[in-house]
Amino acid sequence: MLNERDRKGFLLVLSSPSGGGKSTIYNALLEMGEPFGFSVSSTTRPPRPGEIDGVHYHFISDEAFKRKIAEGEFAEWADVHEHKYGTLKKFVEKALAENKIMIFEIDVQGAVQLREAYPEDTVLVFIAAPSAGESERRLRSRGTDSEEDIRIRLRNSREEINRYMEYDYFVINDRLEDAIGDVISIVRAELLASDRFIGEIWPD
Ligand code: 5GP
């Protein structure tokens, strides 16, 4: 459906406060069968039931994480909800070298760092629930977080939502199918940007 031939790849960052639905959108993109790359972050957070090491995250210790920071291995990293999360530089650079559209599900602090590191290649999309109440309802319906965790996430959501203007695009996730359509439209438009064309014009 997406014609990525002769187009430069880019880093598509999806961020949303907890309960915004970015994971659902991310999973929908994953199932579309398009040639997207999906960045697997490293984190010091313990796995939730059903999460698989190397698939959902690389689950690593605090010491290992700090070592990677010291050795400059992260393209970006941040403290989020009292744990550390980061993206390894080597995955980002491989994706760009292969002209992939690489999708990231990272927080606002990380999005800003990626843009600083790769200004030409980063597209930032902010996804929000249509209201604070709906955001809380979605967060609770997940049923995997403790009350303390939910409290921290709701507090952080209130701060994060105010940063939507730092993003290129703002999607309100009211009806899921519409929000997925919006993200696909963004990908399509970004692929069509004239400075992403790397083919030969009229080769005949
Ligand atoms: P969760 O613990 O629910 O999987 O993720 C919590 C938050 O951490 C989410 O807002 C998610 O976007 C963010 N996050 C996940 N991976 C990364 C990462 O590699 N870097 C940054 N900066 N944030 C991340």
Side-chain angles (χ1 to χ4, degrees):
M1 186 174 70
L2 300 168
N3 182 5
E4 77 287 0
R5 195 173 63 87
D6 292 341
R7 299 284 168 171
K8 230 165 96 182
F10 55 91
L11 313 175
L12 182 76
V13 176
L14 307 179
S15 302
S16 77
S18 296
K22 72 177 170 313
S23 308
T24 318
I25 292 175
Y26 182 94
N27 289 333
L29 293 172
L30 194 88
E31 281 160 19
M32 278 179 61
E34 297 290 344
F36 300 131
F38 291 89
S39 172
V40 179
S41 300
S42 304
T43 183
T44 59
R45 163 169 85 58
R48 295 193 185 113
E51 282 184 333
I52 302 163
D53 187 37
V55 175
H56 298 95
Y57 282 105
H58 300 288
F59 294 100
I60 64 175
S61 67
D62 223 42
E63 299 76 67
F65 201 103
K66 285 184 181 145
R67 202 174 325 118
K68 288 184 192 297
I69 296 174
E71 287 167 8
E73 288 189 37
F74 286 116
E76 64 76 30
W77 71 272
D79 281 304
V80 190
H81 311 318
E82 304 180 357
H83 296 288
K84 288 185 165 37
Y85 296 80
T87 307
L88 290 171
K89 229 180 249 174
K90 63 180 180 194
F91 295 139
V92 178
E93 290 179 357
K94 182 163 182 286
L96 287 176
E98 291 172 355
N99 268 333
K100 278 241 163 74
I101 301 173
M102 182 84 158
I103 304 185
F104 296 77
E105 207 192 315
I106 65 178
D107 88 319
V108 179
Q109 308 168 74
V112 171
Q113 290 174 50
L114 264 195
R115 159 155 293 159
E116 269 170 27
Y118 307 95
E120 306 289 311
D121 300 312
T122 310
V123 177
L124 303 185
V125 182
F126 195 101
I127 299 168
S131 67
E134 176 60 13
S135 154
E136 177 167 356
R137 195 192 62 73
R138 289 181 188 168
L139 183 54
R140 289 189 181 282
S141 70
R142 188 157 73 188
T144 51
D145 302 296
S146 66
E147 191 54 36
E148 167 69 1
D149 240 27
I150 291 176
R151 204 182 49 72
I152 295 171
R153 281 162 190 264
L154 288 174
R155 192 190 57 213
N156 293 346
S157 292
R158 297 251 173 216
E159 287 171 19
E160 280 174 23
I161 190 83
N162 292 319
R163 296 188 65 180
Y164 76 94
M165 278 294 286
E166 293 172 52
Y167 283 65
D168 301 305
Y169 297 95
F170 181 50
V171 171
I172 295 186
N173 179 14
D174 194 351
R175 278 189 63 233
L176 180 64
E177 307 82 85
D178 292 343
I180 293 170
D182 289 346
V183 174
I184 295 293
S185 303
I186 292 166
V187 171
R188 204 186 282 277
E190 287 291 335
L191 267 179
L192 295 175
S194 47
D195 60 358
R196 292 225 159 77
F197 183 71
I198 49 172
E200 193 182 347
I201 303 167
W202 288 3
D204 58 340

